[in-house]
Amino acid sequence: MTNPVIEAKNVWKSFRTVQAVKGINLKIPKGQFTALLGPNGAGKTTLVEMIEGIQKPDSGEITIMGKHWRGNEDKLHHIIGLSLQETRFIDKLRLTETLQLFASFFNLGKERVNEIIEIVGLEEKRKSFVVNLSGGQRQRLAIGIALINAPSILLLDEPTTGLDPNARREIWDILHRLKKESETSMILTTHYMEEAENLCDYIVIMDNGVILREGTLDQLLQEAGNLDDLFVSLTGRRIND
Amino acid sequence: MIKFLRLNQLWQLTLALYHEITREPGVLFWGILFPILISLGLGLAFTKKADVVRKVAVSRSSGISDRGDSELSGFLEKNCIKKQPDSKEDYDWKYDHKDDKLGNTLFLFYEMDWPEAMVMLKRGTVNLILQSNNGKTEYHFDPVNADAELTFRKLRDILGSGAVLNVESNSEIKPLTVTGTRYIDFLVPGLITMGVMMSTMWGISYGIIEKRSKKLLRRLVATPMRKSHFLVALITVRLTMNVVEALILILFTLIIFNIMVQGSISALILMFIAGNMAFAGIAVFVSSHTSNTEVGNGLINAVVMPMVVLSGIFFSYQNFPDWSVKIIKVLPLTLMTDGIRSIFNEGAGYSEVGISILVLSVIGILFFSAGLKIFKWH
Ligand SMILES: Nc1ncnc2c1ncn2[C@@H]1O[C@H](COP(=O)(O)OP(=O)(O)OP(=O)(O)O)[C@@H](O)[C@H]1O
Ligand SMILES: [Mg+2]
């Protein structure tokens, strides 16, 4: 493997009484779409937020394009795009205004805002207040904001949780197109097997702060007929229980 | 070029936060209309004295009807309006005393026997009993009761000299209605500074805490946004709103109550900015850590409530115990209110309020720096 864009080495993180991440190693090569698949409390958000520089590991190290977060914040912020689990933006700001605000942080202007609106298919909602968008539209806005700086690395934390199948498919379409048209590397966390299968080249199954199995879909399916069965055989329960 | 782009970032942040406030319809009411309504309500209530009704018993034992030559019966017959036999009013005579300066007083007289009059007095329905004695009028009342004494003094002036107390020479009464000494002159500067404190503390602190709790702060600092720009934008928007609100209030009270700034305008502006700085600094400090809006509520109230009560917004703090006045005087809201009040009403300038301006600015800078040190973005 050539130099990975994201690398985590023996990363640990705990909160008071909870060990959220327990010695995780991960290498993401350029252009790969990776799914972090795991039930509630598996440690997905904690791991992703450490990669995003939002949380600091207790021990171990994380590098992005070979760089540590310390001392490289500004550079790394420019090449990463992300959406957090459950962020809310400013309610009474219009969709275009919200995008324009985030664009200005990257010294980008109206043209990029218009491109993004087209990419996420929200042309009809330009003038709507963020508070009046549906759940799916809000999620697409969040992805639009994540893409605004044309990031080399995209980190999406549960972008489709709580959405109906249609809204979910719209988001998958956006990401499929991104895969075709760019070399962006992505990590996406999810509870949904089909999302991991449908979108990602590489699947990492996590539970209780550790990685249980990882590999391409084909590699994982050698052990069991489908991901659901594999998960049950690894943990003794179903992922969405 | 880089500089320009940075400014654009600051401008977009300011614009976004400005929209966030002004698109909330309640802002117009609570920020602008409400203080005006308070000033109007309190201003009118305390500048124009309401009509007072004073009830007085007239003892029947003096035999008013058959001794038409007594001072009291003469007054009642000639100057008062007698109740019509078929009317439902409960009084027997009434006398309307008009006084532009001290307010109108309506005297109601009830004729009754002495024992009945005493009962009424004990119950507080009346606080004075009149009785004729050899043509002279006697005033019976409790001298400890200030209200009764006031009734006596007013009646005595109307009726003629009383027989009970010595009459001193009537010194001329000069009610104070000069601009700068009325209650409204005291109130308006207080309303301005209280408005600044409330809107800054709630606007900035609550704004930060709410954005932290909905993970927007976290999302913002995961971009190359400058953290300082966010806070500067938040404070700028709040300052602008405060200026607009204060100007509207001043303009309004200028038109209605003829309020005037007698001191230095530039000192007033600096004082206003220094006060804003102080509260903005405190607001950032208060909201530096928590992401819980309930805790935020408590923290903000803990800062704001004592000052609203103590800092002499509605009534002077000079009646508090001496030791506490020393402390009250250095509270930020007191510093700002006293300063602005003295510029408005006493013609103060830099020599009087310069120190307060400096102290407020320093308070602002200290709290802001300390708040920033412990500020939690995530
Ligand atoms: N700030 C925190 N303070 C205390 N405990 C935390 C904190 N953040 C996460 N945890 C705990 O760490 C564990 C992992 O949480 P994390 O959010 O990473 O899980 P997740 O896989 O993202 O779950 P979900 O699918 O529900 O989002 C959980 O037990 C959680 O309760
Ligand atoms: Mg999560």
Side-chain angles (χ1 to χ4, degrees):
Chain A
M1 185 153 70
T2 53
N3 281 345
V5 287
I6 299 171
E7 184 165 16
K9 283 188 210 150
N10 196 22
V11 169
W12 291 74
K13 177 79 181 176
S14 60
F15 302 98
R16 285 185 202 102
T17 55
V18 191
Q19 283 276 0
V21 170
K22 299 184 270 197
I24 282 196
N25 292 290
L26 198 64
K27 278 185 187 168
I28 312 286
K30 187 173 178 184
Q32 177 176 289
F33 274 24
T34 308
L36 277 187
L37 185 62
N40 290 123
K44 306 182 294 293
T45 299
T46 308
L47 177 59
V48 169
E49 290 195 348
M50 286 190 288
I51 295 171
E52 288 162 347
I54 290 173
Q55 302 196 39
K56 290 199 171 49
D58 297 337
S59 67
E61 74 176 16
I62 290 176
T63 51
I64 293 161
M65 307 270 203
K67 292 190 178 68
H68 291 92
W69 269 101
R70 219 197 155 85
N72 293 308
E73 284 93 351
D74 204 48
K75 232 173 279 167
L76 293 180
H77 281 150
H78 271 97
I79 57 169
I80 293 178
L82 58 96
S83 81
L84 301 172
Q85 190 173 357
E86 298 162 11
T87 321
R88 288 169 51 212
F89 298 100
I90 296 176
D91 287 347
K92 284 292 171 73
L93 214 52
R94 297 182 201 285
L95 182 111
T96 34
E97 290 166 345
T98 307
L99 284 166
Q100 219 157 313
L101 174 65
F102 279 88
S104 75
F105 300 150
F106 297 95
N107 300 333
L108 297 164
K110 284 212 168 69
E111 311 83 66
R112 184 58 185 162
V113 169
N114 289 331
E115 281 171 30
I116 290 289
I117 290 177
E118 212 184 297
I119 290 173
V120 296
L122 287 170
E123 289 92 337
E124 276 157 33
K125 294 287 167 187
R126 286 170 172 277
K127 291 239 147 51
S128 302
F129 288 138
V130 170
V131 69
N132 296 332
L133 296 178
S134 73
Q137 289 163 346
R138 220 173 292 184
Q139 229 12 286
R140 277 189 273 159
L141 170 62
I143 291 174
I145 290 173
L147 292 174
I148 204 146
N149 53 332
S152 326
I153 296 171
L154 184 61
L155 301 159
L156 305 179
D157 199 354
E158 303 198 13
T160 67
T161 298
L163 302 187
D164 65 44
N166 257 335
R168 185 172 302 153
R169 200 149 303 119
E170 281 169 344
I171 286 176
W172 291 355
D173 288 344
I174 295 169
L175 296 176
H176 275 305
R177 249 177 285 134
L178 181 75
K179 173 126 187 125
K180 233 190 304 169
E181 291 164 11
S182 73
E183 293 198 299
T184 303
S185 321
M186 178 179 78
I187 297 181
L188 161 149
T189 73
T190 182
H191 302 177
Y192 301 116
M193 300 289 182
E194 350 131 50
E195 185 156 290
E197 286 175 29
N198 188 307
L199 271 179
C200 297
D201 322 307
Y202 198 80
I203 297 171
V204 176
I205 298 178
M206 270 185 83
D207 193 19
N208 284 321
V210 295
I211 294 176
L212 299 176
R213 282 287 185 286
E214 60 182 302
T216 61
L217 183 62
D218 290 340
Q219 288 167 348
L220 293 179
L221 290 185
Q222 280 167 8
E223 277 184 57
N226 60 50
L227 285 180
D228 276 308
D229 293 347
L230 177 61
F231 192 83
V232 174
S233 76
L234 288 172
T235 65
R237 62 199 161 96
R238 311 193 73 82
I239 190 165
N240 281 322
D241 283 352
Chain B
M1 191 59 189
I2 295 290
K3 251 227 167 97
F4 167 77
L5 291 169
R6 287 264 162 75
L7 279 182
N8 181 42
Q9 185 188 118
L10 183 57
W11 169 243
Q12 290 291 341
L13 268 167
T14 310
L15 205 61
L17 295 170
Y18 169 78
H19 284 322
E20 182 183 25
I21 302 180
T22 52
R23 284 176 183 165
E24 210 52 66
V27 169
L28 190 69
F29 177 76
W30 293 109
I32 295 175
L33 240 45
F34 189 62
I36 286 180
L37 288 179
I38 293 187
S39 78
L40 197 63
L42 290 177
L44 286 178
F46 288 96
T47 41
K48 200 154 172 37
K49 225 172 159 180
D51 290 3
V52 177
V53 176
R54 294 184 179 275
K55 297 183 174 177
V56 178
V58 177
S59 168
R60 196 178 276 143
S61 64
S62 58
I64 308 150
S65 39
D66 47 35
R67 299 253 304 269
D69 55 338
S70 78
E71 178 189 68
L72 180 56
S73 59
F75 168 75
L76 289 173
E77 294 300 337
K78 284 190 206 120
N79 301 343
C80 299
I81 298 168
K82 198 170 171 40
K83 182 183 78 164
Q84 297 303 311
D86 54 348
S87 94
K88 290 215 167 61
E89 310 286 358
D90 64 342
Y91 61 82
D92 296 302
W93 290 274
K94 83 173 174 188
Y95 180 81
D96 212 353
H97 179 60
K98 297 282 183 202
D99 188 328
D100 294 345
K101 289 176 175 175
L102 296 180
N104 300 333
T105 312
L106 180 66
F107 290 96
L108 299 178
F109 298 95
Y110 299 85
E111 188 180 4
M112 58 186 78
D113 295 329
W114 180 258
E116 198 189 345
M118 281 308 289
V119 172
M120 299 290 270
L121 187 79
K122 283 173 187 162
R123 286 184 188 162
T125 312
V126 301
N127 56 26
L128 186 132
I129 305 171
L130 294 174
Q131 192 168 30
S132 267
N133 189 356
N134 292 326
K136 286 263 184 190
T137 312
E138 286 176 357
Y139 299 81
H140 299 264
F141 65 96
D142 175 4
V144 179
N145 182 338
D147 204 40
E149 187 179 347
L150 189 62
T151 311
F152 155 67
R153 287 181 178 276
K154 289 204 165 195
L155 261 186
R156 187 196 59 192
D157 287 346
I158 300 164
L159 264 129
S161 56
V164 175
L165 293 178
N166 293 334
V167 180
E168 289 170 26
S169 69
N170 247 349
S171 51
E172 224 182 308
I173 299 166
K174 290 180 187 136
L176 295 169
T177 52
V178 187
T179 301
T181 61
R182 301 164 303 172
Y183 180 64
I184 190 77
D185 301 306
F186 179 86
L187 180 67
V188 167
L191 286 180
I192 292 173
T193 57
M194 188 178 73
V196 166
M197 177 177 76
M198 288 296 196
S199 116
T200 307
M201 289 301 297
W202 286 102
I204 295 182
S205 290
Y206 205 78
I208 289 174
I209 294 168
E210 190 233 17
K211 287 181 182 58
R212 189 183 286 120
S213 86
K214 61 186 200 182
K215 292 191 179 175
L216 182 54
L217 280 190
R218 187 185 272 244
R219 183 63 190 86
L220 287 173
V221 295
T223 70
M225 180 194 80
R226 315 220 126 203
K227 292 171 181 166
S228 58
H229 280 185
F230 172 77
L231 292 173
V232 168
L234 200 61
I235 294 171
T236 308
V237 168
R238 195 40 66 177
L239 177 64
T240 313
M241 295 300 292
N242 288 347
V243 168
V244 171
E245 289 170 16
L247 278 181
I248 292 178
L249 182 61
I250 292 175
L251 200 71
F252 177 82
T253 48
L254 178 81
I255 294 168
I256 301 287
F257 298 107
N258 200 22
I259 286 273
M260 271 196 295
V261 180
Q262 304 185 15
S264 154
I265 297 276
S266 67
L268 180 67
I269 293 170
L270 274 190
M271 189 83 208
F272 188 84
I273 292 174
N276 270 274
M277 273 172 72
F279 290 118
I282 296 172
V284 168
F285 182 78
V286 163
S287 58
S288 59
H289 239 71
T290 184
S291 56
N292 183 314
T293 48
E294 304 272 322
V295 172
N297 263 337
L299 284 172
I300 295 167
N301 272 326
V303 173
V304 158
M305 292 308 278
M307 288 202 266
V308 170
V309 175
L310 298 174
S311 289
I313 298 300
F314 296 102
F315 299 100
S316 167
Y317 54 76
Q318 298 294 352
N319 295 329
F320 287 110
D322 284 344
W323 62 266
S324 66
V325 169
K326 287 202 189 91
I327 301 170
I328 291 172
K329 277 190 165 174
V330 296
L331 294 175
L333 186 63
T334 320
L335 283 174
M336 188 184 180
T337 310
D338 286 355
I340 289 197
R341 206 171 263 154
S342 66
I343 296 173
F344 263 87
N345 298 333
E346 297 157 26
Y350 288 103
S351 51
E352 288 87 1
V353 299
I355 298 212
S356 298
I357 293 178
L358 200 70
V359 171
L360 284 171
S361 313
V362 170
I363 290 177
I365 292 167
L366 285 183
F367 274 99
F368 185 83
S369 322
L372 211 53
K373 271 248 160 60
I374 56 170
F375 203 91
K376 257 174 69 180
W377 292 93
H378 300 308

